[in-house]
Amino acid sequence: MIFEGLPTTPTSEELIDKAFSRAARAGRAKQGLEAQQSMLQTATSIVSDNLENVVTAWPDFGYEDEVHPFYYELADAVLAGETDSPVEGATGVDALRQSLSEVMWASRKAREIHDEYQPRLRKTDVDTARKHRKQAFARVADIVEQIDDDLLFVNAARNALRDLPEINPEEPTIVVAGYPNVGKSSFVNELTNARGETASYPFTTKGIGVGHREHDHIRYQLVDTPGLLDRPPEDRNEIESQAVSAIAHLGDCMLVLCDPSGEAGYPLADQLELRDAIAAQFDAIPVLTVANKVDREDRWPDDARERMGADREMSIESGEGVEEVFDAAVEAIGHEPELPFEG
Ligand SMILES: Nc1nc2c(ncn2[C@@H]2O[C@H](COP(=O)(O)OP(=O)(O)OP(=O)(O)O)[C@@H](O)[C@H]2O)c(=O)[nH]1
Ligand SMILES: [Mg+2]
């Protein structure tokens, strides 16, 4: 996961303390002008290097090669729920990028202060040099304090993003949608090793289920999306909608599960409306309608089949048709392994 292993971001106070205490130590090891020069060098390079490291630890959001659109939008959704950005009006990844560029600005500024004061610590008396060096320190501290909010925001972003569960946007992915209780989790668990394992994301209180299954030596990812693709688009809040658009970059095939009996509390008409809305939003990938719980066919409305026009029917309870649904999804994806240097 690309946001794993991001280091903690120091606060401005921590950074200033570190820079100045190291500088003091470096100064004590030398005498006269050299001590002042060494202090300036140490403090400015600690500030500059540490701030640069804060920025370079992050992938470059400007390049799709570095941040897959799925992760970009996912981060956008996660950060939308994050602490206020210090940048007026900025939200999500945009806010993070702006704070990172403020941090980069401060890093450069510290280096400039070094270059500006360095000559003033030469060919002069120690008292004058000390005065200049102190002035340089005050300016460095001022710069770092100016980005105090940005450092806090970058750290909050890091904390929010680093524990995102493993979903690999490069793997062919089957997304499972449908109203609550239609059998989404049962389906993913039946076909994969997921066994009810769920991954919690900050934008939904229900865990996202992820399982894997091989077919012809290709690993498919099955993603169960409770709390997101389980109700009409107009019932989603802004963050949930953003998470859904992240899923649009992830999915290669969409399965909309229905329980035609409507016994779970959602009439078939509503379920089909959701199916149509999903088909419209995910028009770039195949969307298959799957009628589940065929073992309870006796409770289906008489015209259920006609109205659904389902691509497949199955019963997770009896096992009937379940493998076939997976095969149909695989076929719809028509995934061919990408061979490098071919053609
Ligand atoms: N009779 C019958 N029951 C089923 C079938 N598939 C799932 N169920 C039951 O339906 C209930 C709901 O199944 P889940 O897999 O939890 O449904 P879900 O879509 O994940 O529900 P949410 O996570 O709430 O969105 C469970 O009690 C399952 O045992 C089926 O084919 N036949
Ligand atoms: Mg579920």
Side-chain angles (χ1 to χ4, degrees):
M1 217 280 292
I2 55 164
F3 302 122
E4 220 168 75
L6 287 166
T8 43
T9 310
T11 64
S12 58
E13 199 184 329
E14 282 165 357
L15 186 53
I16 292 167
D17 283 354
K18 178 175 166 185
F20 290 175
S21 67
R22 295 269 179 86
R25 207 184 309 153
R28 282 196 295 274
K30 302 250 167 82
Q31 300 277 314
L33 286 181
E34 266 189 47
Q36 298 306 316
Q37 290 161 10
S38 176
M39 287 175 81
L40 176 69
Q41 171 67 40
T42 304
T44 52
S45 66
I46 282 180
V47 166
S48 183
D49 292 352
N50 277 267
L51 293 179
E52 189 176 336
N53 290 343
V54 165
V55 179
T56 55
W58 287 87
D60 191 332
F61 284 94
Y63 291 94
E64 275 198 19
D65 284 354
E66 282 195 40
V67 182
H68 190 284
F70 165 69
Y71 275 123
Y72 193 109
E73 300 236 13
L74 188 68
D76 227 12
V78 171
L79 295 181
E82 229 2 90
T83 14
D84 293 332
S85 158
V87 186
E88 244 330 90
T91 56
V93 170
D94 185 40
L96 173 60
R97 291 178 72 175
Q98 294 203 42
S99 280
L100 287 172
S101 90
E102 290 296 312
V103 173
M104 206 55 180
W105 165 82
S107 167
R108 272 197 301 273
K109 211 69 197 162
R111 212 154 272 153
E112 280 170 27
I113 290 170
H114 170 266
D115 294 349
E116 185 184 332
Y117 281 85
Q118 164 85 353
R120 301 187 198 171
L121 306 186
R122 288 185 186 156
K123 296 183 185 136
T124 185
D125 59 285
V126 173
D127 278 347
T128 310
R130 183 180 293 115
K131 217 170 70 199
H132 283 310
R133 193 269 301 156
K134 282 185 172 170
Q135 202 176 65
F137 272 27
R139 284 182 58 188
V140 168
D142 184 52
I143 295 293
V144 177
E145 275 157 18
Q146 277 186 52
I147 58 157
D148 186 33
D149 290 350
D150 295 291
L151 291 171
L152 292 174
F153 183 70
V154 169
N155 198 50
R158 174 258 185 193
N159 290 340
L161 293 173
R162 72 190 192 123
D163 292 327
L164 291 185
E166 199 62 54
I167 289 185
N168 183 355
E170 309 293 347
E171 277 179 354
T173 301
I174 299 164
V175 179
V176 184
Y179 264 96
N181 240 15
V182 294
K184 299 183 297 294
S185 305
S186 308
F187 177 73
V188 171
N189 293 346
E190 179 70 19
L191 283 172
T192 71
N193 47 0
R195 298 287 156 256
E197 275 170 42
T198 56
S200 54
Y201 280 91
F203 44 74
T204 162
T205 50
K206 298 184 172 185
I208 302 251
V210 185
H212 295 93
R213 187 184 173 93
E214 284 214 1
H215 182 89
D216 283 347
H217 307 291
I218 296 169
R219 206 165 98 120
Y220 291 83
Q221 188 169 241
L222 283 91
V223 179
D224 172 19
T225 58
L228 295 176
L229 292 167
D230 64 354
R231 68 203 122 108
E234 60 271 20
D235 290 359
R236 288 173 206 141
N237 67 31
E238 202 179 319
I239 293 172
E240 288 162 349
S241 300
Q242 257 172 319
V244 169
S245 71
I247 292 171
H249 291 287
L250 172 73
D252 298 284
C253 177
M254 174 74 67
L255 299 178
V256 183
L257 269 51
C258 296
D259 174 357
S261 76
E263 280 175 342
Y266 306 97
L268 182 57
D270 291 359
Q271 298 185 52
L272 294 178
E273 218 167 277
L274 174 64
R275 188 263 321 263
D276 293 342
I278 289 174
Q281 181 168 15
F282 291 79
D283 60 351
I285 60 172
V287 176
L288 305 183
T289 306
V290 178
N292 187 31
K293 309 195 186 180
V294 71
D295 56 291
R296 317 235 301 184
E297 202 189 329
D298 55 322
R299 297 161 199 238
W300 293 11
D302 290 340
D303 57 352
R305 287 210 161 80
E306 214 176 295
R307 288 163 61 200
M308 276 188 293
D311 296 277
R312 287 283 184 285
E313 292 181 2
M314 69 178 179
S315 164
I316 297 156
E317 183 83 2
S318 73
E320 182 191 336
V322 177
E323 292 290 331
E324 286 82 352
V325 169
F326 176 70
D327 291 346
V330 167
E331 196 181 313
I333 294 173
H335 184 82
E336 293 177 21
E338 282 173 43
L339 301 175
F341 313 118
E342 202 189 36

